[in-house]
Amino acid sequence: MTLRHLCASVLLLATASALAAPDAAALKEILQKNNCLACHAVNAPVVGPSYRDVAKKYKGDAGAPDKLFSKVRNGGTGVWRQVAMPPNPGIPDDDLHAVIAWILAGAPEH
Ligand code: HEC
């Protein structure tokens, strides 16, 4: 991990907990680094659902953060369609929590 990445994560966590509005640029970098964008876009379905659609589906679902954390970590199928998301073992817990919070906040671009 480079110093730049470290700074970005620290900043991101500070922002996420203080404002519940994680920095979109830092989040995009996490998504990029962990290959999420190969299958997901913010606004349109690709291989997996768009992050905006995920936000809509789980609006008001208090269990969503935990459920989605395990789903992305372990992979799975059948919720959106019969295509599987593979497990994502490489993304650090803190990064994954930040990504899920950002998605559930409606995947804001700014
Ligand atoms: C190889 C393609 C692929 C990659 C890489 C991938 N996903 Fe997915 N993702 C999918 C598919 C397909 C689904 C739909 C699974 C289903 O219908 O149950 C999905 C579903 C999801 C959902 C909704 C889960 C649900 O049960 O409603 C979230 C959130 C998500 N992905 C986030 C991520 C994140 C974050 C990453 C990167 C760490 C990632 N995905 C990487 C293909 C992928």
Side-chain angles (χ1 to χ4, degrees):
M1 184 185 268
T2 65
L3 189 57
R4 198 170 75 80
H5 281 125
L6 189 64
C7 290
S9 325
V10 169
L11 231 174
L12 175 66
L13 289 176
T15 314
S17 49
L19 302 171
D23 181 304
L27 272 163
K28 285 273 172 71
E29 200 172 307
I30 294 173
L31 295 173
Q32 194 92 52
K33 202 165 60 186
N34 292 282
N35 211 31
C36 313
L37 300 180
C39 296
H40 294 280
V42 168
N43 269 320
V46 187
V47 178
S50 85
Y51 286 145
R52 296 267 160 83
D53 285 345
V54 174
K56 270 185 225 146
K57 182 178 179 66
Y58 294 99
K59 198 169 190 312
D61 180 344
D66 284 349
K67 198 157 51 186
L68 294 180
F69 185 94
S70 325
K71 173 70 171 266
V72 176
R73 175 65 81 216
N74 301 317
T77 184
V79 173
W80 294 85
R81 52 207 284 209
Q82 302 308 315
V83 179
M85 173 161 55
N88 293 281
I91 182 169
D93 281 3
D94 288 347
D95 283 357
L96 186 48
H97 280 301
V99 164
I100 301 289
W102 173 78
I103 292 171
L104 291 173
E109 304 253 34
H110 299 287

XYZ file of all heavy atoms in Angstrom:
850
model
N 0.852 -1.202 0.000
C 0.000 0.000 0.000
C 0.878 1.239 0.000
O 1.818 1.341 0.797
C -0.891 -0.037 1.251
C -1.881 1.108 1.287
S -2.805 1.138 2.818
C -4.249 0.177 2.419
N 0.612 2.130 -0.914
C 1.410 3.361 -0.971
C 0.902 4.349 0.074
O -0.196 4.180 0.621
C 1.267 4.036 -2.344
O -0.085 4.445 -2.495
C 1.634 3.089 -3.467
N 1.713 5.352 0.332
C 1.325 6.374 1.306
C 0.063 7.085 0.839
O -0.829 7.393 1.635
C 2.475 7.379 1.454
C 2.305 8.386 2.591
C 2.123 7.648 3.907
C 3.501 9.314 2.663
N -0.016 7.274 -0.484
C -1.193 7.963 -1.028
C -2.467 7.169 -0.729
O -3.473 7.698 -0.317
C -1.022 8.159 -2.533
C -1.924 9.213 -3.119
C -1.524 9.520 -4.553
N -1.949 8.459 -5.444
C -3.197 8.334 -5.911
N -4.107 9.196 -5.558
N -3.516 7.360 -6.716
N -2.375 5.847 -0.931
C -3.531 5.013 -0.651
C -3.899 5.042 0.818
O -5.050 5.099 1.191
C -3.254 3.570 -1.082
C -3.400 3.365 -2.548
N -2.412 2.831 -3.316
C -4.418 3.645 -3.372
C -2.820 2.802 -4.577
N -4.046 3.287 -4.629
N -2.850 4.990 1.635
C -3.085 5.005 3.070
C -3.797 6.290 3.463
O -4.785 6.279 4.193
C -1.737 4.890 3.790
C -1.818 4.678 5.289
C -2.496 3.346 5.582
C -0.423 4.684 5.901
N -3.297 7.412 2.964
C -3.918 8.701 3.274
C -5.366 8.707 2.805
O -6.262 9.151 3.515
C -3.186 9.855 2.591
S -1.576 10.148 3.318
N -5.585 8.186 1.599
C -6.938 8.167 1.055
C -7.854 7.357 1.949
O -8.979 7.764 2.238
C -6.926 7.606 -0.355
N -7.394 6.192 2.433
C -8.257 5.355 3.276
C -8.548 6.034 4.600
O -9.664 5.994 5.102
C -7.616 3.997 3.578
O -6.886 3.553 2.490
N -7.521 6.642 5.172
C -7.717 7.300 6.467
C -8.724 8.434 6.312
O -9.667 8.562 7.083
C -6.375 7.832 7.016
C -6.604 8.730 8.211
C -5.468 6.667 7.380
N -8.519 9.210 5.258
C -9.423 10.320 4.965
C -10.848 9.816 4.777
O -11.814 10.349 5.311
C -8.969 10.971 3.662
C -8.777 12.476 3.679
C -8.183 12.926 2.354
C -10.079 13.192 3.962
N -10.938 8.729 4.011
C -12.230 8.154 3.684
C -12.948 7.728 4.958
O -14.115 8.025 5.159
C -12.002 6.945 2.785
C -13.231 6.148 2.429
C -14.142 6.986 1.570
C -12.828 4.889 1.688
N -12.239 7.028 5.826
C -12.864 6.537 7.057
C -13.294 7.698 7.928
O -14.385 7.711 8.485
C -11.881 5.645 7.820
C -11.654 4.307 7.138
C -10.589 3.508 7.885
C -12.956 3.520 7.099
N -12.437 8.709 8.028
C -12.773 9.874 8.834
C -14.037 10.516 8.275
O -14.967 10.838 9.006
C -11.617 10.874 8.828
N -14.069 10.653 6.963
C -15.232 11.277 6.326
C -16.467 10.408 6.521
O -17.533 10.900 6.864
C -14.993 11.444 4.809
O -13.701 11.982 4.625
C -16.005 12.370 4.206
N -16.308 9.115 6.317
C -17.449 8.207 6.398
C -18.085 8.257 7.776
O -19.306 8.323 7.898
C -17.015 6.788 6.066
N -17.268 8.243 8.820
C -17.866 8.202 10.150
C -18.365 9.579 10.573
O -19.356 9.691 11.275
C -16.872 7.645 11.167
O -15.646 8.304 11.035
N -17.707 10.635 10.130
C -18.104 11.971 10.575
C -19.367 12.453 9.863
O -20.242 13.030 10.481
C -16.975 12.965 10.350
N -19.463 12.183 8.583
C -20.535 12.794 7.802
C -21.472 11.785 7.170
O -22.483 12.155 6.597
C -19.937 13.642 6.666
C -18.994 14.768 7.069
C -18.324 15.361 5.851
C -19.774 15.831 7.822
N -21.130 10.504 7.234
C -21.875 9.474 6.519
C -21.979 9.818 5.039
O -22.958 9.539 4.387
C -23.263 9.266 7.125
N -20.993 10.513 4.504
C -20.969 10.860 3.092
C -19.563 10.613 2.559
O -18.781 11.528 2.387
C -21.357 12.322 2.893
N -19.247 9.327 2.346
C -17.898 8.969 1.936
C -17.493 9.682 0.643
O -18.332 9.935 -0.212
C -17.967 7.460 1.699
C -19.235 7.001 2.325
C -20.139 8.183 2.452
N -16.228 9.991 0.553
C -15.678 10.677 -0.607
C -15.805 9.805 -1.856
O -15.265 8.715 -1.927
C -14.216 10.974 -0.289
C -13.543 11.709 -1.416
O -13.558 11.203 -2.541
O -13.004 12.789 -1.142
N -16.534 10.299 -2.848
C -16.832 9.501 -4.037
C -15.570 9.131 -4.814
O -15.459 8.018 -5.328
C -17.813 10.241 -4.930
N -14.612 10.042 -4.872
C -13.392 9.767 -5.630
C -12.604 8.631 -4.977
O -12.125 7.715 -5.647
C -12.544 11.023 -5.721
N -12.511 8.672 -3.644
C -11.781 7.625 -2.931
C -12.495 6.284 -3.101
O -11.870 5.232 -3.243
C -11.660 7.987 -1.453
N -13.823 6.326 -3.109
C -14.589 5.097 -3.282
C -14.416 4.495 -4.661
O -14.260 3.290 -4.808
C -16.058 5.376 -3.019
C -16.342 5.217 -1.545
C -17.626 5.855 -1.157
C -16.346 3.746 -1.187
N -14.416 5.350 -5.665
C -14.204 4.867 -7.028
C -12.861 4.160 -7.122
O -12.711 3.155 -7.816
C -14.246 6.038 -8.018
C -15.648 6.551 -8.291
C -16.301 5.763 -9.441
C -17.762 6.105 -9.635
N -17.968 7.452 -10.192
N -11.878 4.707 -6.405
C -10.552 4.101 -6.434
C -10.601 2.705 -5.803
O -9.984 1.765 -6.303
C -9.592 5.006 -5.676
C -8.138 4.757 -6.020
C -7.231 5.800 -5.385
O -7.495 7.011 -5.580
O -6.275 5.409 -4.691
N -11.346 2.568 -4.727
C -11.484 1.250 -4.091
C -12.178 0.282 -5.048
O -11.756 -0.865 -5.215
C -12.298 1.359 -2.781
C -11.529 2.177 -1.739
C -12.620 -0.025 -2.234
C -12.331 2.462 -0.480
N -13.238 0.744 -5.688
C -13.980 -0.114 -6.623
C -13.085 -0.564 -7.775
O -13.106 -1.719 -8.191
C -15.195 0.628 -7.183
C -16.285 1.011 -6.184
C -17.331 1.877 -6.857
C -16.934 -0.223 -5.575
N -12.291 0.391 -8.265
C -11.378 0.110 -9.364
C -10.338 -0.919 -8.953
O -10.118 -1.919 -9.635
C -10.669 1.420 -9.733
C -9.940 1.376 -11.050
C -10.844 1.867 -12.176
O -11.420 2.941 -12.061
N -10.973 1.082 -13.210
N -9.747 -0.681 -7.807
C -8.666 -1.523 -7.317
C -9.147 -2.949 -7.091
O -8.406 -3.897 -7.249
C -8.152 -0.914 -6.001
C -6.761 -1.314 -5.632
C -6.184 -0.408 -4.550
C -7.004 -0.427 -3.274
N -6.538 0.556 -2.282
N -10.406 -3.115 -6.694
C -10.920 -4.445 -6.363
C -11.753 -5.046 -7.491
O -12.474 -6.025 -7.287
C -11.731 -4.382 -5.065
C -10.837 -4.082 -3.876
O -10.154 -4.966 -3.382
N -10.805 -2.833 -3.441
N -11.668 -4.426 -8.656
C -12.268 -5.014 -9.858
C -13.802 -4.992 -9.876
O -14.416 -5.622 -10.729
C -11.768 -6.456 -10.019
C -11.684 -6.849 -11.475
O -11.424 -5.997 -12.323
N -11.928 -8.116 -11.773
N -14.426 -4.293 -8.939
C -15.890 -4.262 -8.894
C -16.462 -3.674 -10.183
O -17.525 -4.077 -10.644
C -16.379 -3.418 -7.720
S -15.562 -3.758 -6.159
N -15.733 -2.706 -10.759
C -16.266 -1.999 -11.925
C -16.237 -2.847 -13.190
O -16.816 -2.472 -14.209
C -15.499 -0.686 -12.132
C -15.590 0.287 -10.941
C -14.801 1.557 -11.212
C -17.044 0.625 -10.629
N -15.583 -4.005 -13.124
C -15.636 -4.925 -14.259
C -17.064 -5.430 -14.441
O -17.482 -5.765 -15.549
C -14.676 -6.095 -14.035
N -17.829 -5.483 -13.361
C -19.181 -6.054 -13.424
C -20.279 -5.090 -13.006
O -21.453 -5.417 -13.125
C -19.256 -7.289 -12.541
S -18.208 -8.641 -13.076
N -19.912 -3.942 -12.420
C -20.928 -3.007 -11.920
C -20.655 -1.588 -12.389
O -19.503 -1.170 -12.440
C -20.929 -2.973 -10.388
C -21.347 -4.244 -9.729
N -22.664 -4.616 -9.581
C -20.619 -5.244 -9.165
C -22.728 -5.773 -8.947
N -21.504 -6.192 -8.683
N -21.726 -0.850 -12.690
C -21.628 0.590 -12.915
C -22.630 1.251 -11.974
O -23.498 0.592 -11.407
C -21.947 0.925 -14.362
N -22.492 2.565 -11.798
C -23.377 3.286 -10.893
C -24.812 3.291 -11.426
O -25.761 3.040 -10.688
C -22.871 4.733 -10.687
C -23.924 5.589 -9.998
C -21.585 4.711 -9.865
N -24.955 3.547 -12.712
C -26.265 3.837 -13.290
C -26.888 2.782 -14.163
O -28.074 2.860 -14.469
C -26.158 5.106 -14.143
C -26.457 6.313 -13.321
O -27.371 6.283 -12.495
N -25.701 7.368 -13.510
N -26.107 1.815 -14.623
C -26.634 0.839 -15.579
C -26.175 -0.561 -15.201
O -25.054 -0.726 -14.723
C -26.142 1.182 -16.979
N -27.047 -1.553 -15.404
C -26.618 -2.920 -15.142
C -25.497 -3.319 -16.112
O -25.520 -2.920 -17.278
C -27.874 -3.757 -15.409
C -28.947 -2.824 -15.801
C -28.402 -1.446 -15.914
N -24.521 -4.056 -15.625
C -23.487 -4.606 -16.501
C -23.625 -6.123 -16.357
O -24.639 -6.676 -16.768
C -22.074 -4.083 -16.118
C -21.032 -4.532 -17.130
C -22.091 -2.556 -16.051
N -22.672 -6.790 -15.721
C -22.872 -8.206 -15.399
C -23.751 -8.289 -14.142
O -24.660 -9.109 -14.041
C -21.519 -8.916 -15.157
C -21.744 -10.371 -14.777
C -20.645 -8.811 -16.391
N -23.476 -7.410 -13.204
C -24.280 -7.316 -11.979
C -25.165 -6.067 -12.035
O -25.064 -5.271 -12.969
N -26.014 -5.910 -11.016
C -26.938 -4.763 -10.979
C -26.198 -3.441 -10.810
O -25.079 -3.418 -10.314
C -27.793 -5.057 -9.732
C -26.922 -5.899 -8.859
C -26.101 -6.737 -9.804
N -26.823 -2.333 -11.252
C -26.226 -1.019 -11.020
C -26.298 -0.711 -9.527
O -27.186 -1.192 -8.817
C -26.963 0.058 -11.815
O -28.096 0.525 -11.108
N -25.353 0.091 -9.056
C -25.330 0.393 -7.619
C -26.553 1.217 -7.208
O -27.031 1.114 -6.084
C -24.024 1.091 -7.262
C -22.844 0.129 -7.267
C -21.580 0.521 -7.678
C -22.999 -1.192 -6.834
C -20.504 -0.366 -7.673
C -21.941 -2.081 -6.824
C -20.694 -1.660 -7.245
O -19.637 -2.532 -7.232
N -27.080 2.029 -8.131
C -28.305 2.785 -7.815
C -29.485 1.840 -7.610
O -30.328 2.058 -6.735
C -28.624 3.782 -8.927
C -27.578 4.875 -9.104
C -27.907 6.130 -8.302
N -26.726 6.959 -8.088
C -26.253 7.838 -8.965
N -26.862 8.019 -10.103
N -25.178 8.543 -8.691
N -29.569 0.782 -8.436
C -30.651 -0.193 -8.271
C -30.517 -0.941 -6.943
O -31.512 -1.229 -6.281
C -30.648 -1.205 -9.434
C -31.200 -0.587 -10.723
O -31.823 0.488 -10.656
O -31.001 -1.194 -11.797
N -29.270 -1.246 -6.570
C -29.053 -1.912 -5.281
C -29.549 -0.990 -4.159
O -30.263 -1.430 -3.246
C -27.556 -2.260 -5.082
C -27.318 -2.813 -3.669
C -27.098 -3.285 -6.128
N -29.219 0.301 -4.239
C -29.650 1.255 -3.207
C -31.175 1.273 -3.106
O -31.745 1.278 -2.008
C -29.121 2.658 -3.534
N -31.865 1.264 -4.244
C -33.333 1.297 -4.246
C -33.903 0.046 -3.616
O -34.835 0.098 -2.817
C -33.854 1.404 -5.686
C -34.027 2.833 -6.149
C -34.674 2.862 -7.541
C -33.949 3.863 -8.422
N -33.883 3.478 -9.824
N -33.346 -1.090 -4.015
C -33.880 -2.378 -3.536
C -33.812 -2.479 -2.012
O -34.703 -3.017 -1.381
C -33.076 -3.516 -4.165
C -33.547 -4.917 -3.785
C -32.709 -5.970 -4.515
C -33.102 -7.385 -4.174
N -34.446 -7.733 -4.642
N -32.718 -1.953 -1.419
C -32.528 -2.157 0.021
C -32.873 -0.923 0.853
O -32.579 -0.883 2.042
C -31.089 -2.610 0.296
C -30.808 -3.976 -0.291
C -30.148 -4.121 -1.499
C -31.266 -5.123 0.355
C -29.915 -5.377 -2.059
C -31.050 -6.381 -0.190
C -30.374 -6.500 -1.393
O -30.164 -7.742 -1.930
N -33.513 0.062 0.237
C -33.913 1.267 0.966
C -34.761 0.878 2.178
O -35.738 0.124 2.039
C -34.718 2.154 0.017
C -34.834 3.587 0.450
C -35.423 4.392 -0.726
C -35.404 5.858 -0.572
N -35.840 6.507 0.569
N -34.379 1.347 3.353
C -35.164 1.082 4.554
C -34.939 -0.298 5.162
O -35.573 -0.654 6.148
N -34.056 -1.099 4.594
C -33.752 -2.437 5.117
C -32.574 -2.338 6.088
O -31.428 -2.166 5.677
C -33.411 -3.355 3.934
C -33.074 -4.779 4.369
O -32.809 -4.996 5.565
O -33.071 -5.666 3.494
N -32.872 -2.428 7.386
C -31.845 -2.227 8.399
C -30.782 -3.320 8.353
O -29.650 -3.127 8.799
C -32.478 -2.175 9.789
N -31.124 -4.483 7.831
C -30.160 -5.581 7.763
C -29.266 -5.537 6.534
O -28.352 -6.356 6.399
N -29.520 -4.572 5.644
C -28.814 -4.548 4.361
C -27.285 -4.443 4.479
O -26.578 -5.169 3.776
C -29.366 -3.432 3.476
N -26.762 -3.568 5.362
C -25.295 -3.466 5.406
C -24.614 -4.810 5.692
O -23.665 -5.174 5.003
C -25.043 -2.454 6.535
C -26.273 -1.611 6.558
C -27.408 -2.553 6.204
N -25.127 -5.554 6.669
C -24.524 -6.851 7.010
C -24.722 -7.869 5.900
O -23.824 -8.623 5.550
C -25.147 -7.413 8.292
C -24.623 -6.691 9.521
O -23.642 -5.932 9.379
O -25.204 -6.880 10.606
N -25.943 -7.882 5.368
C -26.283 -8.844 4.326
C -25.383 -8.638 3.102
O -24.829 -9.583 2.550
C -27.753 -8.624 3.946
C -28.398 -9.746 3.213
C -29.928 -9.739 3.367
C -30.579 -8.393 3.055
N -32.021 -8.359 3.348
N -25.237 -7.392 2.694
C -24.461 -7.108 1.482
C -22.967 -7.296 1.721
O -22.238 -7.709 0.822
C -24.758 -5.696 0.970
C -26.193 -5.503 0.473
C -26.401 -4.085 -0.026
C -26.559 -6.511 -0.614
N -22.543 -7.019 2.949
C -21.128 -7.254 3.271
C -20.796 -8.730 3.032
O -19.838 -9.054 2.322
C -20.838 -6.873 4.730
C -19.382 -6.983 5.102
C -18.560 -5.871 5.014
C -18.849 -8.177 5.530
C -17.208 -5.963 5.349
C -17.503 -8.280 5.865
C -16.677 -7.171 5.778
N -21.591 -9.651 3.587
C -21.313 -11.082 3.401
C -21.479 -11.496 1.953
O -20.729 -12.327 1.456
C -22.240 -11.969 4.232
O -22.533 -11.394 5.435
N -22.496 -10.921 1.290
C -22.750 -11.307 -0.099
C -21.559 -10.957 -0.983
O -21.120 -11.780 -1.798
C -24.007 -10.605 -0.594
C -24.322 -10.776 -2.067
C -24.759 -12.197 -2.400
C -25.267 -12.279 -3.829
N -26.722 -12.110 -3.916
N -21.019 -9.745 -0.848
C -19.895 -9.351 -1.691
C -18.652 -10.154 -1.295
O -17.899 -10.620 -2.147
C -19.621 -7.837 -1.586
C -18.386 -7.454 -2.404
C -20.837 -7.046 -2.073
N -18.455 -10.346 -0.002
C -17.293 -11.105 0.469
C -17.316 -12.538 -0.076
O -16.339 -13.043 -0.582
C -17.277 -11.107 2.007
C -16.186 -11.952 2.641
C -14.789 -11.427 2.339
N -14.397 -10.327 3.194
C -13.648 -9.282 2.784
N -13.245 -9.211 1.549
N -13.315 -8.319 3.608
N -18.484 -13.190 0.024
C -18.564 -14.625 -0.298
C -19.095 -14.922 -1.688
O -19.026 -16.063 -2.137
C -19.453 -15.336 0.728
C -18.924 -15.171 2.141
O -17.725 -15.278 2.368
N -19.800 -14.878 3.085
N -19.653 -13.909 -2.349
C -20.245 -14.129 -3.658
C -21.621 -14.766 -3.521
O -22.077 -15.041 -2.410
N -22.298 -14.968 -4.643
C -23.618 -15.592 -4.589
C -24.424 -15.256 -5.822
O -23.978 -14.502 -6.690
N -25.635 -15.804 -5.879
C -26.470 -15.638 -7.062
C -27.941 -15.661 -6.681
O -28.292 -15.918 -5.534
C -26.166 -16.767 -8.083
O -26.938 -16.527 -9.263
C -26.535 -18.135 -7.527
N -28.815 -15.352 -7.655
C -30.246 -15.579 -7.465
C -31.043 -14.405 -6.948
O -32.259 -14.437 -6.959
N -30.393 -13.332 -6.479
C -31.152 -12.190 -5.987
C -31.597 -11.311 -7.157
O -32.743 -10.883 -7.231
C -30.327 -11.365 -4.978
C -31.058 -10.091 -4.604
C -30.037 -12.197 -3.729
N -30.695 -11.061 -8.099
C -31.013 -10.211 -9.248
C -31.305 -11.045 -10.486
O -32.166 -10.717 -11.276
C -29.861 -9.241 -9.524
C -29.708 -8.258 -8.403
C -29.011 -8.446 -7.240
C -30.310 -6.973 -8.289
N -29.144 -7.364 -6.432
C -29.926 -6.436 -7.051
C -31.132 -6.226 -9.139
C -30.346 -5.178 -6.628
C -31.546 -4.967 -8.712
C -31.154 -4.456 -7.469
N -30.517 -12.078 -10.649
C -30.658 -12.931 -11.822
C -29.809 -14.175 -11.599
O -29.134 -14.270 -10.593
C -30.210 -12.180 -13.072
C -28.801 -11.582 -12.898
C -28.587 -10.371 -13.738
N -28.374 -10.847 -15.097
C -27.634 -10.213 -15.998
N -27.039 -9.087 -15.696
N -27.484 -10.694 -17.199
N -29.854 -15.079 -12.571
C -29.127 -16.321 -12.377
C -27.682 -16.219 -12.851
O -27.178 -17.066 -13.569
C -29.848 -17.478 -13.085
C -31.275 -17.683 -12.606
C -31.362 -17.802 -11.084
O -30.574 -18.505 -10.461
N -32.307 -17.112 -10.475
N -27.037 -15.139 -12.482
C -25.617 -14.986 -12.766
C -24.959 -14.808 -11.410
O -25.484 -14.103 -10.558
C -25.349 -13.735 -13.625
C -23.856 -13.567 -13.889
C -26.106 -13.820 -14.940
N -23.824 -15.471 -11.183
C -23.208 -15.415 -9.865
C -22.167 -14.314 -9.777
O -21.442 -14.048 -10.732
C -22.563 -16.750 -9.532
N -22.114 -13.670 -8.622
C -20.969 -12.824 -8.294
C -19.954 -13.745 -7.622
O -20.298 -14.466 -6.692
C -21.372 -11.705 -7.329
C -20.158 -10.916 -6.833
S -20.585 -9.281 -6.142
C -21.784 -9.679 -4.880
N -18.713 -13.744 -8.096
C -17.697 -14.575 -7.437
C -17.335 -13.970 -6.083
O -17.612 -12.802 -5.838
C -16.506 -14.511 -8.400
C -16.698 -13.257 -9.183
C -18.177 -13.000 -9.243
N -16.731 -14.753 -5.187
C -16.274 -14.188 -3.907
C -15.250 -13.080 -4.148
O -14.549 -13.086 -5.157
C -15.604 -15.380 -3.204
C -16.039 -16.593 -3.941
C -16.398 -16.163 -5.329
N -15.169 -12.117 -3.238
C -14.193 -11.034 -3.314
C -13.363 -11.036 -2.030
O -13.605 -10.230 -1.139
C -14.906 -9.690 -3.485
C -15.603 -9.577 -4.826
O -14.966 -9.306 -5.838
N -16.907 -9.817 -4.857
N -12.418 -11.967 -1.918
C -11.684 -12.121 -0.664
C -10.652 -11.018 -0.431
O -10.217 -10.811 0.696
C -10.981 -13.483 -0.819
C -10.861 -13.675 -2.305
C -12.038 -12.971 -2.924
N -10.284 -10.274 -1.487
C -9.145 -9.357 -1.371
C -9.439 -7.999 -0.792
O -8.557 -7.339 -0.266
N -10.697 -7.549 -0.843
C -10.991 -6.184 -0.401
C -10.979 -6.118 1.130
O -11.625 -6.931 1.788
C -12.324 -5.693 -1.012
C -12.613 -4.253 -0.609
C -13.494 -6.606 -0.656
C -13.779 -3.615 -1.379
N -10.206 -5.183 1.709
C -10.133 -5.081 3.175
C -11.508 -4.767 3.795
O -12.327 -4.101 3.163
C -9.175 -3.910 3.409
C -8.406 -3.752 2.138
C -9.317 -4.223 1.041
N -11.757 -5.261 4.999
C -13.043 -5.057 5.683
C -13.473 -3.591 5.685
O -14.622 -3.280 5.369
C -12.962 -5.527 7.145
C -13.087 -7.041 7.265
O -13.187 -7.726 6.214
O -13.067 -7.539 8.398
N -12.551 -2.703 6.057
C -12.906 -1.282 6.160
C -13.336 -0.725 4.812
O -14.288 0.055 4.721
C -11.718 -0.468 6.672
C -11.457 -0.728 8.147
O -12.341 -1.343 8.797
O -10.402 -0.324 8.638
N -12.608 -1.134 3.760
C -12.953 -0.662 2.421
C -14.319 -1.192 2.014
O -15.134 -0.461 1.444
C -11.905 -1.128 1.393
C -10.626 -0.301 1.460
O -10.572 0.652 2.256
O -9.696 -0.619 0.705
N -14.572 -2.461 2.333
C -15.855 -3.040 1.934
C -17.015 -2.378 2.689
O -18.041 -2.066 2.109
C -15.841 -4.565 2.143
C -17.069 -5.318 1.636
C -17.454 -4.917 0.220
C -16.842 -6.825 1.696
N -16.812 -2.127 3.995
C -17.859 -1.416 4.746
C -18.129 -0.045 4.118
O -19.283 0.366 3.979
C -17.440 -1.234 6.209
C -17.644 -2.467 7.048
N -18.883 -3.059 7.212
C -16.782 -3.216 7.757
C -18.747 -4.124 7.996
N -17.489 -4.249 8.337
N -17.063 0.656 3.734
C -17.218 1.993 3.151
C -17.962 1.920 1.812
O -18.833 2.742 1.526
C -15.849 2.652 2.973
N -17.624 0.905 1.009
C -18.278 0.747 -0.290
C -19.773 0.455 -0.106
O -20.618 1.061 -0.778
C -17.610 -0.392 -1.104
C -18.486 -0.835 -2.261
C -16.249 0.060 -1.616
N -20.109 -0.448 0.802
C -21.518 -0.798 1.032
C -22.288 0.441 1.512
O -23.393 0.717 1.041
C -21.654 -1.931 2.085
C -20.913 -3.198 1.634
C -23.112 -2.229 2.388
C -21.513 -3.945 0.494
N -21.680 1.206 2.436
C -22.351 2.411 2.942
C -22.600 3.387 1.795
O -23.679 3.991 1.700
C -21.507 3.073 4.031
N -21.612 3.509 0.915
C -21.746 4.425 -0.235
C -22.847 3.950 -1.189
O -23.681 4.731 -1.629
C -20.396 4.523 -0.943
C -20.397 5.293 -2.222
C -20.409 6.655 -2.363
C -20.380 4.749 -3.552
N -20.383 6.978 -3.701
C -20.369 5.835 -4.455
C -20.355 3.439 -4.068
C -20.339 5.667 -5.839
C -20.332 3.265 -5.438
C -20.326 4.371 -6.309
N -22.874 2.642 -1.465
C -23.911 2.106 -2.352
C -25.293 2.363 -1.745
O -26.197 2.871 -2.408
C -23.723 0.588 -2.590
C -22.449 0.328 -3.402
C -24.940 -0.004 -3.307
C -22.056 -1.138 -3.497
N -25.442 2.044 -0.454
C -26.755 2.177 0.185
C -27.171 3.645 0.322
O -28.353 3.948 0.465
C -26.757 1.472 1.548
C -26.679 -0.067 1.440
C -26.521 -0.690 2.819
C -27.909 -0.639 0.734
N -26.194 4.553 0.250
C -26.520 5.986 0.264
C -26.923 6.467 -1.126
O -27.104 7.660 -1.356
C -25.323 6.789 0.788
N -27.014 5.525 -2.091
C -27.448 5.897 -3.432
C -26.298 6.115 -4.403
O -26.483 6.698 -5.460
N -25.096 5.665 -4.033
C -23.912 5.779 -4.890
C -23.733 7.200 -5.430
O -23.670 7.412 -6.643
C -23.992 4.766 -6.040
N -23.652 8.198 -4.531
C -23.486 9.584 -4.977
C -22.151 9.771 -5.688
O -21.145 9.226 -5.247
C -23.518 10.393 -3.675
C -23.117 9.420 -2.612
C -23.612 8.073 -3.067
N -22.155 10.531 -6.791
C -20.923 10.715 -7.572
C -20.056 11.847 -7.018
O -18.923 12.004 -7.427
C -21.275 11.011 -9.029
C -22.160 9.946 -9.659
C -21.411 9.068 -10.661
O -20.220 8.791 -10.458
O -22.040 8.685 -11.652
N -20.636 12.673 -6.147
C -19.833 13.781 -5.607
C -19.979 13.842 -4.099
O -20.973 13.415 -3.572
C -20.271 15.125 -6.201
C -20.091 15.144 -7.701
N -18.868 15.232 -8.308
C -21.002 15.033 -8.684
C -19.036 15.201 -9.628
N -20.310 15.078 -9.878
C -17.483 -11.112 -12.074
C -18.513 -10.073 -11.895
C -18.630 -9.357 -10.541
C -17.650 -8.737 -9.794
C -16.163 -8.679 -10.055
C -18.339 -8.106 -8.680
N -19.691 -8.338 -8.749
Fe -21.109 -7.643 -7.470
N -22.505 -8.747 -8.435
C -22.317 -9.491 -9.595
C -23.547 -10.197 -9.930
C -23.759 -11.130 -11.129
C -24.480 -9.839 -8.931
C -25.935 -10.341 -8.794
C -25.953 -11.567 -7.869
C -27.357 -12.048 -7.567
O -28.260 -11.907 -8.393
O -27.570 -12.593 -6.451
C -23.809 -8.921 -8.017
C -24.413 -8.320 -6.913
C -23.820 -7.335 -6.113
C -24.499 -6.599 -5.068
C -25.965 -6.794 -4.644
C -26.055 -8.104 -3.867
C -27.464 -8.540 -3.509
O -27.588 -9.676 -2.984
O -28.441 -7.806 -3.737
C -23.578 -5.747 -4.520
C -23.790 -4.772 -3.364
C -22.336 -5.954 -5.230
N -22.521 -6.913 -6.189
C -21.159 -5.263 -4.964
C -19.917 -5.621 -5.512
C -18.661 -5.061 -5.080
C -18.487 -4.002 -3.989
C -17.679 -5.666 -5.826
C -16.157 -5.486 -5.730
C -15.565 -5.813 -4.443
C -18.347 -6.578 -6.745
N -19.693 -6.532 -6.517
C -17.687 -7.360 -7.699
C -21.133 -9.573 -10.307
C -19.901 -9.110 -9.869
